[in-house]
Amino acid sequence: MAAKIKKGDLVQVMAGRTSDANNPRFVARNKRREAEGLEPLKTGDKGKQGRVLKVFPKDNTAIVEGVNLRTHHVRQGQNAQGQVTGGIEQREAPISLSKLALVDPATKKPAKVGFREEEVERDGRMRTVRVRINKATGKDI
């Protein structure tokens, strides 16, 4: 699956907690948790789209811009200009490739991906190149 998703691709999160705060199941669950004295659950990343910043093929994960944000507490220090740094930062954490779907740039909707082999001439030699295609439309992604 790692071959489908590359750095710079537009992807959508397909699995995980919903990002729809108005979902009746989500609202009912948070009301029940509030009645029990628990903190309500926050909405998740399902349905969000973002660009892939980095792919980790060995771990089968990727870092996606604006998705799977985690809080990091950074120790206070000084940089080269003498400014004080540190505090609480939001950073993207890796997310499993199995939860991501490639988005077709033309329709901005998730697409099932297939591959087509094409013969291309480079440096005077014919080479075989794999091209990603949308299985529904047959067009290149």
Side-chain angles (χ1 to χ4, degrees):
M1 299 305 156
K4 289 184 184 179
I5 297 176
K6 302 178 202 170
K7 181 180 175 182
D9 284 341
L10 183 63
V11 295
Q12 180 171 332
V13 179
M14 300 302 290
R17 196 180 305 150
T18 181
S19 61
D20 184 14
N22 299 324
N23 183 340
R25 291 178 63 199
F26 192 76
V27 171
R29 182 174 57 207
N30 276 343
K31 282 183 183 177
R32 179 184 50 80
R33 287 180 63 88
E34 201 172 307
E36 293 174 1
L38 299 171
E39 187 175 315
L41 294 175
K42 295 183 179 116
T43 57
D45 292 328
K46 185 176 178 182
K48 287 186 181 177
Q49 291 186 356
R51 295 261 173 219
V52 175
L53 300 176
K54 192 167 184 181
V55 178
F56 303 103
K58 285 186 180 179
D59 301 330
N60 234 14
T61 59
I63 294 179
V64 181
E65 186 178 26
V67 174
N68 200 22
L69 295 174
R70 297 292 180 245
T71 303
H72 283 264
H73 295 264
V74 181
R75 179 177 286 176
Q76 192 174 31
Q78 287 186 343
N79 61 12
Q81 289 82 24
Q83 298 170 333
V84 177
T85 60
I88 300 173
E89 297 178 355
Q90 292 284 329
R91 295 185 191 165
E92 290 97 356
I95 187 168
S96 175
L97 291 177
S98 64
K99 294 183 178 185
L100 300 176
L102 202 58
V103 173
D104 187 2
T107 61
K108 299 290 186 207
K109 292 187 178 181
K112 289 191 176 186
V113 177
F115 294 95
R116 177 180 64 228
E117 291 187 359
E118 292 183 354
E119 294 287 328
V120 178
E121 185 177 342
R122 288 190 186 158
D123 302 328
R125 295 178 55 191
M126 295 300 286
R127 300 187 186 254
T128 304
V129 179
R130 285 177 46 157
V131 179
R132 295 182 301 184
I133 61 168
N134 183 340
K135 281 190 168 183
T137 62
K139 297 182 180 176
D140 293 357
I141 293 182

